[in-house]
Amino acid sequence: MNRFPFFSYPLVGLLLLSFTFAQGQHSKGMTEAGIQSILSEVAAESEHEPGMSTIYFGERWILILTNEELNRIRILTPIQERTTIGADEMERMLIANFSTALDAKYSFYDQYVVSTYSHPMGSLSEAQLVDALEQVVMLARTFGTTYSSAVIADAEASMNKP
């Protein structure tokens, strides 16, 4: 029995096949040097070293990790210590990751609750990078309230609460 009637098995197979071929075929796109150049332009402060940048953006310190070999960029900012959140906040984070958090998501890193974003570097545009920074900051700011990575009308209603 298909538990997800809105999925078509042939369609899912086709999507998986396309992802398999797309894995090794990314354009040169964004490089670490290009990312660092953009970060220096948009951030109030920035420090760079191979594979890592730290910037001050949107009144938050943000860590950007890059790996050209794996074609990945990760952007994150700490929100609060992991031990300070309860089960209700954990559930709200998980619900938000599906509903009100767009491209940025809540996660844990080390002993912290963080707002994070991950994307292939090869297909990342400058506009997407800036948007990702803004979403990571917004998601961190709205922790404990609307849990959203963008201005969403009536975000509470979209939290899928009973």
Side-chain angles (χ1 to χ4, degrees), residues 1-2 7 20 26 33 38 48 50 52 56 68-69 76 83-84 86 97 113 115 125 128-129 133 137 157:
M1 182 170 95
N2 186 355
F7 280 124
T20 302
H26 64 274
I38 293 165
H48 310 286
M52 184 176 76
Y56 190 70
E68 288 185 336
E69 185 176 315
L76 59 104
T83 58
T84 64
N97 279 350
V113 175
S115 171
S125 71
Q128 287 174 313
L129 176 58
L133 294 168
V137 167

Side-chain angles (χ1 to χ4, degrees), residues 54-67:
T54 306
I55 65 169
Y56 190 70
F57 178 87
E59 300 180 7
R60 295 195 74 89
W61 284 103
I62 300 175
L63 176 65
I64 297 94
L65 304 170
T66 56
N67 186 319

Side-chain angles (χ1 to χ4, degrees), residues 108-141:
F108 296 119
Y109 180 74
D110 199 11
Q111 294 302 312
Y112 292 91
V113 175
V114 297
S115 171
T116 187
Y117 172 89
S118 180
H119 197 278
M121 288 172 53
S123 60
L124 186 69
S125 71
E126 181 174 346
Q128 287 174 313
L129 176 58
V130 173
D131 181 62
L133 294 168
E134 291 169 350
Q135 285 193 47
V136 165
V137 167
M138 179 66 81
L139 197 60
R141 281 186 187 151

